[in-house]
Amino acid sequence: MKEDYYSGLRRDMLRHQIAARGIKNPRVLEAMSRVPRHLFVPERLADRAYDDSPLPISDGQTISQPYMVAWMTELLEIAEAAKVLEVGTGSGYQAAILCELAGEVFSIEKYPDLARAAEERLSILGYDNLRIRVGDGTLGWPEEAPFTGIIVTAGAPSVPQPLLEQLADGGRLVIPVGPAGMQMLNVIRRHGNDYRASDEGNCVFVPLVGKFGWKRGRVF
Ligand code: SAM
């Protein structure tokens, strides 16, 4: 049966791409074992959904590599009651992983058709602890702030100030920062008015555009 086939691919993905590269948090591994990634990619790419790479979705955007999703999620250290903001809904796959782990998830996407498709997919899969909004995620979601975790799934030129302000005391922001072609994955921890950043490693993301992101045409 096709579902058994995809479950097998998912098990291999977890073993060879994710656990093998050092992801240990059992809640993250469990979440990644539950979410059917093949339903988040264009149908013609379903058989490649568990490959060790990002894949194209629509509007020139991508669903991130499985390991990247696992790594960023682990760095967020999500508690069960957490309120998490994602910037860059894309396919909705990362949002589904967040829904498995957090109490409430808010996700912002700039392309309306991607946001609509993700919303439909996530609702069919039964996730009811999520809201998606179309807009500029570099402005955050002030009406719902503060967030215990914020994850940005596109490469930023610098850390958007509104996201720092919307981070809860004790919260964590995970964000790729740097030029197109190669960014550094940053984790920023807030303690009162003190923000501590650490560099976690290199990554490559599509650009974060918007008021506090790249300006169109000035990415490269
Ligand atoms: N998290 C996604 C997933 O699981 O499929 C992958 C995200 S893709 C690498 C980056 C996404 O960020 C794209 O869908 C892009 O349209 C979106 N994006 C870029 N700039 C944005 C902004 N300012 N606000 C909201 N979304 C943005």
Short mmCIF file of all heavy atoms in Angstrom, two decimals, residues 44-110:
data_model
loop_
_atom_site.label_atom_id
_atom_site.label_comp_id
_atom_site.label_asym_id
_atom_site.label_seq_id
_atom_site.Cartn_x
_atom_site.Cartn_y
_atom_site.Cartn_z
N ARG A 44 3.53 15.60 -8.17
CA ARG A 44 4.53 14.96 -9.05
C ARG A 44 5.85 14.70 -8.31
O ARG A 44 6.69 13.95 -8.77
CB ARG A 44 4.76 15.82 -10.30
CG ARG A 44 5.47 17.09 -10.02
CD ARG A 44 5.48 18.11 -11.15
NE ARG A 44 5.65 19.43 -10.61
CZ ARG A 44 6.81 19.96 -10.25
NH1 ARG A 44 7.92 19.30 -10.46
NH2 ARG A 44 6.88 21.16 -9.72
N LEU A 45 6.04 15.36 -7.14
CA LEU A 45 7.29 15.19 -6.39
C LEU A 45 7.11 14.33 -5.14
O LEU A 45 8.03 14.19 -4.34
CB LEU A 45 7.85 16.56 -5.98
CG LEU A 45 8.27 17.49 -7.12
CD1 LEU A 45 8.72 18.83 -6.58
CD2 LEU A 45 9.41 16.84 -7.92
N ALA A 46 5.92 13.73 -4.98
CA ALA A 46 5.62 12.99 -3.74
C ALA A 46 6.66 11.91 -3.45
O ALA A 46 7.05 11.73 -2.29
CB ALA A 46 4.22 12.37 -3.82
N ASP A 47 7.14 11.24 -4.47
CA ASP A 47 8.12 10.18 -4.23
C ASP A 47 9.48 10.72 -3.79
O ASP A 47 10.33 9.95 -3.35
CB ASP A 47 8.29 9.31 -5.49
CG ASP A 47 7.11 8.34 -5.63
OD1 ASP A 47 6.28 8.27 -4.70
OD2 ASP A 47 7.03 7.67 -6.68
N ARG A 48 9.68 12.02 -3.96
CA ARG A 48 10.96 12.62 -3.54
C ARG A 48 10.83 13.40 -2.23
O ARG A 48 11.79 14.02 -1.78
CB ARG A 48 11.48 13.55 -4.64
CG ARG A 48 11.88 12.78 -5.91
CD ARG A 48 12.40 13.73 -6.98
NE ARG A 48 13.42 14.62 -6.46
CZ ARG A 48 13.77 15.78 -7.02
NH1 ARG A 48 13.17 16.16 -8.13
NH2 ARG A 48 14.71 16.53 -6.50
N ALA A 49 9.63 13.33 -1.62
CA ALA A 49 9.37 14.16 -0.44
C ALA A 49 10.32 13.86 0.71
O ALA A 49 10.58 14.73 1.54
CB ALA A 49 7.93 13.95 0.02
N TYR A 50 10.83 12.63 0.80
CA TYR A 50 11.68 12.24 1.93
C TYR A 50 13.16 12.26 1.55
O TYR A 50 14.00 11.76 2.29
CB TYR A 50 11.24 10.87 2.48
CG TYR A 50 9.81 10.94 2.98
CD1 TYR A 50 8.74 10.61 2.16
CD2 TYR A 50 9.53 11.43 4.26
CE1 TYR A 50 7.42 10.72 2.59
CE2 TYR A 50 8.22 11.55 4.70
CZ TYR A 50 7.17 11.20 3.87
OH TYR A 50 5.88 11.33 4.31
N ASP A 51 13.47 12.86 0.37
CA ASP A 51 14.87 13.02 -0.03
C ASP A 51 15.58 14.00 0.90
O ASP A 51 14.93 14.85 1.53
CB ASP A 51 14.97 13.57 -1.46
CG ASP A 51 14.61 12.52 -2.51
OD1 ASP A 51 14.25 11.39 -2.13
OD2 ASP A 51 14.67 12.85 -3.72
N ASP A 52 16.89 13.92 0.90
CA ASP A 52 17.71 14.76 1.78
C ASP A 52 17.96 16.13 1.14
O ASP A 52 19.11 16.53 0.95
CB ASP A 52 19.04 14.01 2.00
CG ASP A 52 19.88 14.63 3.10
OD1 ASP A 52 19.36 15.48 3.84
OD2 ASP A 52 21.07 14.26 3.19
N SER A 53 16.88 16.83 0.77
CA SER A 53 17.05 18.11 0.07
C SER A 53 15.76 18.93 0.18
O SER A 53 14.69 18.37 0.41
CB SER A 53 17.35 17.87 -1.41
OG SER A 53 16.26 17.20 -2.00
N PRO A 54 15.90 20.26 -0.05
CA PRO A 54 14.67 21.05 -0.20
C PRO A 54 14.03 20.70 -1.54
O PRO A 54 14.69 20.12 -2.40
CB PRO A 54 15.18 22.50 -0.20
CG PRO A 54 16.62 22.43 -0.54
CD PRO A 54 17.11 21.05 -0.21
N LEU A 55 12.76 21.03 -1.71
CA LEU A 55 12.09 20.78 -3.00
C LEU A 55 11.29 22.02 -3.37
O LEU A 55 10.83 22.75 -2.50
CB LEU A 55 11.13 19.59 -2.87
CG LEU A 55 11.75 18.20 -2.73
CD1 LEU A 55 10.67 17.17 -2.42
CD2 LEU A 55 12.53 17.80 -3.98
N PRO A 56 11.12 22.24 -4.69
CA PRO A 56 10.32 23.41 -5.09
C PRO A 56 8.85 23.23 -4.74
O PRO A 56 8.32 22.12 -4.84
CB PRO A 56 10.52 23.45 -6.62
CG PRO A 56 10.98 22.09 -7.01
CD PRO A 56 11.66 21.48 -5.82
N ILE A 57 8.21 24.33 -4.32
CA ILE A 57 6.74 24.33 -4.20
C ILE A 57 6.24 25.34 -5.24
O ILE A 57 6.77 25.30 -6.34
CB ILE A 57 6.27 24.58 -2.74
CG1 ILE A 57 7.00 25.76 -2.07
CG2 ILE A 57 6.51 23.32 -1.90
CD1 ILE A 57 6.54 26.11 -0.66
N SER A 58 5.30 26.22 -4.95
CA SER A 58 4.95 27.19 -6.01
C SER A 58 5.55 28.56 -5.70
O SER A 58 6.19 28.75 -4.66
CB SER A 58 3.44 27.26 -6.21
OG SER A 58 2.83 27.57 -4.99
N ASP A 59 5.33 29.52 -6.59
CA ASP A 59 5.81 30.90 -6.44
C ASP A 59 7.33 30.99 -6.29
O ASP A 59 7.84 31.92 -5.65
CB ASP A 59 5.13 31.57 -5.23
CG ASP A 59 3.63 31.72 -5.42
OD1 ASP A 59 3.23 32.36 -6.40
OD2 ASP A 59 2.87 31.16 -4.62
N GLY A 60 8.06 30.00 -6.83
CA GLY A 60 9.52 30.05 -6.75
C GLY A 60 10.05 29.78 -5.35
O GLY A 60 11.21 30.08 -5.06
N GLN A 61 9.23 29.21 -4.47
CA GLN A 61 9.64 28.98 -3.08
C GLN A 61 9.97 27.50 -2.88
O GLN A 61 9.84 26.70 -3.80
CB GLN A 61 8.54 29.45 -2.12
CG GLN A 61 8.15 30.90 -2.32
CD GLN A 61 9.35 31.85 -2.19
OE1 GLN A 61 10.14 31.74 -1.26
NE2 GLN A 61 9.48 32.76 -3.15
N THR A 62 10.38 27.15 -1.66
CA THR A 62 10.79 25.77 -1.39
C THR A 62 10.23 25.27 -0.07
O THR A 62 9.94 26.06 0.83
CB THR A 62 12.35 25.66 -1.29
OG1 THR A 62 12.79 26.61 -0.31
CG2 THR A 62 13.02 25.95 -2.62
N ILE A 63 10.10 23.94 0.01
CA ILE A 63 9.89 23.28 1.31
C ILE A 63 11.31 22.91 1.76
O ILE A 63 12.10 22.38 0.98
CB ILE A 63 8.97 22.04 1.19
CG1 ILE A 63 8.83 21.30 2.53
CG2 ILE A 63 9.40 21.08 0.12
CD1 ILE A 63 7.80 20.14 2.50
N SER A 64 11.63 23.23 3.02
CA SER A 64 13.02 23.05 3.47
C SER A 64 13.40 21.58 3.58
O SER A 64 12.54 20.70 3.74
CB SER A 64 13.20 23.72 4.84
OG SER A 64 12.82 25.07 4.78
N GLN A 65 14.70 21.34 3.51
CA GLN A 65 15.27 20.00 3.70
C GLN A 65 14.80 19.44 5.06
O GLN A 65 14.78 20.17 6.06
CB GLN A 65 16.79 20.16 3.69
CG GLN A 65 17.60 18.92 3.94
CD GLN A 65 19.04 19.28 4.31
OE1 GLN A 65 19.32 20.37 4.83
NE2 GLN A 65 19.94 18.38 4.05
N PRO A 66 14.44 18.15 5.13
CA PRO A 66 13.96 17.59 6.41
C PRO A 66 14.91 17.84 7.58
O PRO A 66 14.47 18.22 8.67
CB PRO A 66 13.85 16.08 6.12
CG PRO A 66 13.66 15.99 4.64
CD PRO A 66 14.41 17.16 4.05
N TYR A 67 16.22 17.67 7.35
CA TYR A 67 17.16 17.88 8.45
C TYR A 67 17.11 19.32 8.96
O TYR A 67 17.19 19.58 10.16
CB TYR A 67 18.59 17.51 8.02
CG TYR A 67 19.60 17.95 9.05
CD1 TYR A 67 19.63 17.34 10.31
CD2 TYR A 67 20.49 19.00 8.80
CE1 TYR A 67 20.53 17.77 11.28
CE2 TYR A 67 21.38 19.42 9.76
CZ TYR A 67 21.40 18.81 10.99
OH TYR A 67 22.27 19.23 11.96
N MET A 68 16.97 20.27 8.04
CA MET A 68 16.92 21.68 8.43
C MET A 68 15.70 21.95 9.31
O MET A 68 15.79 22.67 10.31
CB MET A 68 16.87 22.53 7.14
CG MET A 68 17.05 24.00 7.36
SD MET A 68 18.54 24.47 8.27
CE MET A 68 19.81 23.85 7.17
N VAL A 69 14.58 21.33 8.97
CA VAL A 69 13.36 21.48 9.77
C VAL A 69 13.61 20.92 11.17
O VAL A 69 13.27 21.54 12.19
CB VAL A 69 12.17 20.76 9.09
CG1 VAL A 69 10.93 20.76 9.99
CG2 VAL A 69 11.86 21.40 7.73
N ALA A 70 14.21 19.73 11.23
CA ALA A 70 14.46 19.07 12.53
C ALA A 70 15.43 19.90 13.37
O ALA A 70 15.21 20.11 14.58
CB ALA A 70 15.03 17.68 12.29
N TRP A 71 16.47 20.40 12.74
CA TRP A 71 17.52 21.16 13.44
C TRP A 71 16.93 22.45 14.03
O TRP A 71 17.09 22.75 15.21
CB TRP A 71 18.64 21.45 12.44
CG TRP A 71 19.84 22.13 13.01
CD1 TRP A 71 20.29 22.09 14.30
CD2 TRP A 71 20.77 22.96 12.28
NE1 TRP A 71 21.44 22.83 14.41
CE2 TRP A 71 21.76 23.36 13.20
CE3 TRP A 71 20.87 23.36 10.95
CZ2 TRP A 71 22.82 24.18 12.82
CZ3 TRP A 71 21.94 24.17 10.57
CH2 TRP A 71 22.90 24.57 11.50
N MET A 72 16.21 23.20 13.19
CA MET A 72 15.65 24.47 13.67
C MET A 72 14.61 24.22 14.77
O MET A 72 14.53 24.96 15.74
CB MET A 72 15.03 25.24 12.49
CG MET A 72 16.07 25.75 11.52
SD MET A 72 15.35 26.56 10.08
CE MET A 72 15.07 28.22 10.70
N THR A 73 13.85 23.14 14.61
CA THR A 73 12.82 22.83 15.62
C THR A 73 13.49 22.46 16.94
O THR A 73 13.06 22.91 18.01
CB THR A 73 11.92 21.69 15.13
OG1 THR A 73 11.44 22.01 13.82
CG2 THR A 73 10.74 21.47 16.05
N GLU A 74 14.54 21.67 16.87
CA GLU A 74 15.25 21.30 18.10
C GLU A 74 15.80 22.54 18.80
O GLU A 74 15.71 22.69 20.02
CB GLU A 74 16.36 20.30 17.81
CG GLU A 74 17.01 19.77 19.08
CD GLU A 74 17.87 18.55 18.83
OE1 GLU A 74 18.96 18.70 18.23
OE2 GLU A 74 17.48 17.45 19.24
N LEU A 75 16.36 23.46 17.99
CA LEU A 75 16.94 24.68 18.57
C LEU A 75 15.89 25.57 19.26
O LEU A 75 16.22 26.33 20.16
CB LEU A 75 17.66 25.50 17.48
CG LEU A 75 18.97 24.89 16.96
CD1 LEU A 75 19.45 25.65 15.73
CD2 LEU A 75 20.04 24.89 18.05
N LEU A 76 14.64 25.43 18.85
CA LEU A 76 13.57 26.25 19.45
C LEU A 76 13.22 25.79 20.86
O LEU A 76 12.64 26.55 21.64
CB LEU A 76 12.31 26.17 18.59
CG LEU A 76 12.04 27.24 17.56
CD1 LEU A 76 10.72 26.94 16.85
CD2 LEU A 76 11.99 28.63 18.18
N GLU A 77 13.53 24.52 21.18
CA GLU A 77 13.22 23.96 22.52
C GLU A 77 11.77 24.23 22.94
O GLU A 77 11.50 24.89 23.95
CB GLU A 77 14.19 24.50 23.57
CG GLU A 77 15.60 24.03 23.33
CD GLU A 77 16.56 24.39 24.45
OE1 GLU A 77 16.12 25.00 25.45
OE2 GLU A 77 17.74 24.04 24.33
N ILE A 78 10.85 23.70 22.16
CA ILE A 78 9.43 24.01 22.35
C ILE A 78 8.83 23.21 23.50
O ILE A 78 8.87 21.98 23.49
CB ILE A 78 8.64 23.68 21.06
CG1 ILE A 78 9.21 24.49 19.89
CG2 ILE A 78 7.16 23.95 21.24
CD1 ILE A 78 8.67 24.05 18.55
N ALA A 79 8.23 23.92 24.45
CA ALA A 79 7.50 23.23 25.53
C ALA A 79 6.05 23.02 25.08
O ALA A 79 5.58 23.69 24.15
CB ALA A 79 7.53 24.08 26.79
N GLU A 80 5.35 22.11 25.75
CA GLU A 80 3.99 21.77 25.30
C GLU A 80 3.03 22.95 25.27
O GLU A 80 2.16 23.02 24.41
CB GLU A 80 3.41 20.64 26.15
CG GLU A 80 3.74 19.29 25.54
CD GLU A 80 3.38 18.14 26.45
OE1 GLU A 80 2.31 18.19 27.06
OE2 GLU A 80 4.22 17.21 26.54
N ALA A 81 3.22 23.89 26.21
CA ALA A 81 2.29 25.03 26.26
C ALA A 81 2.76 26.20 25.40
O ALA A 81 2.15 27.26 25.40
CB ALA A 81 2.12 25.47 27.70
N ALA A 82 3.83 26.02 24.67
CA ALA A 82 4.45 27.15 23.96
C ALA A 82 3.52 27.80 22.95
O ALA A 82 2.67 27.15 22.34
CB ALA A 82 5.72 26.67 23.27
N LYS A 83 3.74 29.09 22.80
CA LYS A 83 3.04 29.87 21.76
C LYS A 83 4.12 30.27 20.75
O LYS A 83 5.05 31.00 21.11
CB LYS A 83 2.42 31.09 22.43
CG LYS A 83 1.55 31.92 21.52
CD LYS A 83 0.83 32.99 22.35
CE LYS A 83 -0.11 33.78 21.49
NZ LYS A 83 -0.80 34.83 22.24
N VAL A 84 4.00 29.74 19.55
CA VAL A 84 5.09 29.88 18.57
C VAL A 84 4.65 30.64 17.34
O VAL A 84 3.54 30.43 16.83
CB VAL A 84 5.60 28.47 18.15
CG1 VAL A 84 6.69 28.57 17.09
CG2 VAL A 84 6.14 27.70 19.36
N LEU A 85 5.53 31.51 16.86
CA LEU A 85 5.30 32.23 15.60
C LEU A 85 6.27 31.71 14.55
O LEU A 85 7.48 31.61 14.81
CB LEU A 85 5.55 33.73 15.81
CG LEU A 85 5.50 34.59 14.54
CD1 LEU A 85 4.06 34.66 13.98
CD2 LEU A 85 6.01 36.01 14.81
N GLU A 86 5.73 31.39 13.38
CA GLU A 86 6.59 31.04 12.23
C GLU A 86 6.45 32.13 11.17
O GLU A 86 5.34 32.53 10.84
CB GLU A 86 6.15 29.70 11.61
CG GLU A 86 7.00 29.36 10.38
CD GLU A 86 6.45 28.19 9.55
OE1 GLU A 86 5.22 27.98 9.54
OE2 GLU A 86 7.24 27.52 8.89
N VAL A 87 7.58 32.57 10.63
CA VAL A 87 7.55 33.50 9.49
C VAL A 87 7.96 32.70 8.26
O VAL A 87 9.08 32.16 8.21
CB VAL A 87 8.50 34.69 9.73
CG1 VAL A 87 8.52 35.59 8.48
CG2 VAL A 87 8.06 35.48 10.96
N GLY A 88 7.06 32.59 7.28
CA GLY A 88 7.34 31.82 6.07
C GLY A 88 6.64 30.47 6.09
O GLY A 88 7.27 29.42 6.17
N THR A 89 5.31 30.48 5.97
CA THR A 89 4.51 29.24 6.05
C THR A 89 4.88 28.26 4.93
O THR A 89 4.93 27.05 5.16
CB THR A 89 3.00 29.55 5.91
OG1 THR A 89 2.67 30.68 6.71
CG2 THR A 89 2.14 28.37 6.29
N GLY A 90 5.10 28.79 3.72
CA GLY A 90 5.42 27.94 2.57
C GLY A 90 4.39 26.84 2.39
O GLY A 90 3.19 27.09 2.27
N SER A 91 4.86 25.59 2.41
CA SER A 91 3.97 24.44 2.22
C SER A 91 3.12 24.14 3.46
O SER A 91 2.13 23.41 3.38
CB SER A 91 4.81 23.20 1.93
OG SER A 91 5.53 22.83 3.10
N GLY A 92 3.57 24.63 4.63
CA GLY A 92 2.88 24.31 5.88
C GLY A 92 3.52 23.13 6.62
O GLY A 92 3.07 22.77 7.71
N TYR A 93 4.58 22.56 6.06
CA TYR A 93 5.19 21.37 6.70
C TYR A 93 5.81 21.72 8.06
O TYR A 93 5.53 21.04 9.07
CB TYR A 93 6.24 20.76 5.76
CG TYR A 93 6.97 19.60 6.38
CD1 TYR A 93 6.30 18.39 6.62
CD2 TYR A 93 8.31 19.70 6.75
CE1 TYR A 93 6.97 17.31 7.20
CE2 TYR A 93 8.98 18.62 7.33
CZ TYR A 93 8.30 17.44 7.55
OH TYR A 93 8.96 16.38 8.14
N GLN A 94 6.63 22.77 8.09
CA GLN A 94 7.22 23.18 9.38
C GLN A 94 6.12 23.53 10.38
O GLN A 94 6.21 23.20 11.56
CB GLN A 94 8.16 24.37 9.15
CG GLN A 94 8.70 25.02 10.39
CD GLN A 94 9.81 24.23 11.06
OE1 GLN A 94 10.92 24.14 10.55
NE2 GLN A 94 9.52 23.66 12.23
N ALA A 95 5.07 24.17 9.88
CA ALA A 95 3.94 24.53 10.77
C ALA A 95 3.31 23.28 11.37
O ALA A 95 2.94 23.27 12.55
CB ALA A 95 2.91 25.36 10.00
N ALA A 96 3.19 22.22 10.58
CA ALA A 96 2.61 20.97 11.10
C ALA A 96 3.48 20.40 12.21
O ALA A 96 2.98 19.95 13.25
CB ALA A 96 2.46 19.95 9.97
N ILE A 97 4.79 20.44 12.01
CA ILE A 97 5.72 19.95 13.06
C ILE A 97 5.55 20.80 14.32
O ILE A 97 5.49 20.27 15.44
CB ILE A 97 7.20 20.01 12.56
CG1 ILE A 97 7.40 19.18 11.28
CG2 ILE A 97 8.16 19.61 13.66
CD1 ILE A 97 7.34 17.70 11.45
N LEU A 98 5.42 22.11 14.14
CA LEU A 98 5.23 22.99 15.30
C LEU A 98 3.91 22.68 16.01
O LEU A 98 3.85 22.65 17.24
CB LEU A 98 5.26 24.46 14.87
CG LEU A 98 6.57 24.96 14.25
CD1 LEU A 98 6.40 26.38 13.72
CD2 LEU A 98 7.73 24.90 15.25
N CYS A 99 2.86 22.42 15.23
CA CYS A 99 1.55 22.09 15.82
C CYS A 99 1.62 20.81 16.65
O CYS A 99 0.90 20.67 17.65
CB CYS A 99 0.50 21.89 14.73
SG CYS A 99 -0.05 23.41 13.98
N GLU A 100 2.46 19.88 16.25
CA GLU A 100 2.62 18.63 17.00
C GLU A 100 3.24 18.90 18.38
O GLU A 100 3.03 18.14 19.31
CB GLU A 100 3.55 17.66 16.24
CG GLU A 100 2.96 17.12 14.95
CD GLU A 100 2.05 15.90 15.17
OE1 GLU A 100 2.06 15.35 16.29
OE2 GLU A 100 1.34 15.54 14.23
N LEU A 101 4.02 19.98 18.47
CA LEU A 101 4.84 20.19 19.66
C LEU A 101 4.36 21.30 20.59
O LEU A 101 4.62 21.26 21.79
CB LEU A 101 6.28 20.53 19.24
CG LEU A 101 7.03 19.40 18.52
CD1 LEU A 101 8.28 19.94 17.86
CD2 LEU A 101 7.38 18.30 19.50
N ALA A 102 3.70 22.31 20.01
CA ALA A 102 3.39 23.52 20.78
C ALA A 102 1.90 23.59 21.11
O ALA A 102 1.09 22.86 20.54
CB ALA A 102 3.80 24.76 19.97
N GLY A 103 1.55 24.51 22.01
CA GLY A 103 0.15 24.72 22.33
C GLY A 103 -0.57 25.48 21.23
O GLY A 103 -1.65 25.09 20.80
N GLU A 104 0.05 26.56 20.78
CA GLU A 104 -0.57 27.41 19.75
C GLU A 104 0.50 27.82 18.74
O GLU A 104 1.62 28.17 19.14
CB GLU A 104 -1.07 28.71 20.36
CG GLU A 104 -2.34 28.65 21.13
CD GLU A 104 -2.63 30.05 21.68
OE1 GLU A 104 -1.98 30.44 22.67
OE2 GLU A 104 -3.47 30.74 21.10
N VAL A 105 0.10 27.82 17.47
CA VAL A 105 1.04 28.18 16.41
C VAL A 105 0.41 29.27 15.53
O VAL A 105 -0.75 29.18 15.15
CB VAL A 105 1.40 26.96 15.54
CG1 VAL A 105 2.34 27.34 14.41
CG2 VAL A 105 2.02 25.86 16.40
N PHE A 106 1.21 30.28 15.23
CA PHE A 106 0.80 31.36 14.33
C PHE A 106 1.82 31.39 13.21
O PHE A 106 3.02 31.33 13.47
CB PHE A 106 0.79 32.70 15.09
CG PHE A 106 -0.22 32.69 16.20
CD1 PHE A 106 0.09 32.11 17.43
CD2 PHE A 106 -1.49 33.20 16.00
CE1 PHE A 106 -0.84 32.06 18.45
CE2 PHE A 106 -2.43 33.16 17.02
CZ PHE A 106 -2.11 32.59 18.23
N SER A 107 1.35 31.45 11.96
CA SER A 107 2.29 31.39 10.85
C SER A 107 1.91 32.44 9.81
O SER A 107 0.73 32.63 9.51
CB SER A 107 2.28 29.97 10.24
OG SER A 107 3.26 29.87 9.24
N ILE A 108 2.92 33.13 9.29
CA ILE A 108 2.68 34.23 8.33
C ILE A 108 3.36 33.89 7.00
O ILE A 108 4.53 33.48 6.99
CB ILE A 108 3.24 35.56 8.86
CG1 ILE A 108 2.77 35.83 10.28
CG2 ILE A 108 2.85 36.71 7.93
CD1 ILE A 108 3.39 37.06 10.93
N GLU A 109 2.62 34.07 5.91
CA GLU A 109 3.16 33.81 4.57
C GLU A 109 2.85 35.00 3.68
O GLU A 109 1.74 35.54 3.72
CB GLU A 109 2.54 32.53 4.00
CG GLU A 109 2.84 32.26 2.54
CD GLU A 109 4.33 32.23 2.19
OE1 GLU A 109 5.10 31.52 2.87
OE2 GLU A 109 4.72 32.94 1.24
N LYS A 110 3.81 35.38 2.84
CA LYS A 110 3.56 36.55 1.99
C LYS A 110 2.75 36.22 0.75
O LYS A 110 2.05 37.07 0.23
CB LYS A 110 4.88 37.26 1.66
CG LYS A 110 5.67 36.68 0.52
CD LYS A 110 6.92 37.46 0.29
CE LYS A 110 6.73 38.60 -0.68
NZ LYS A 110 6.35 38.22 -2.02
#
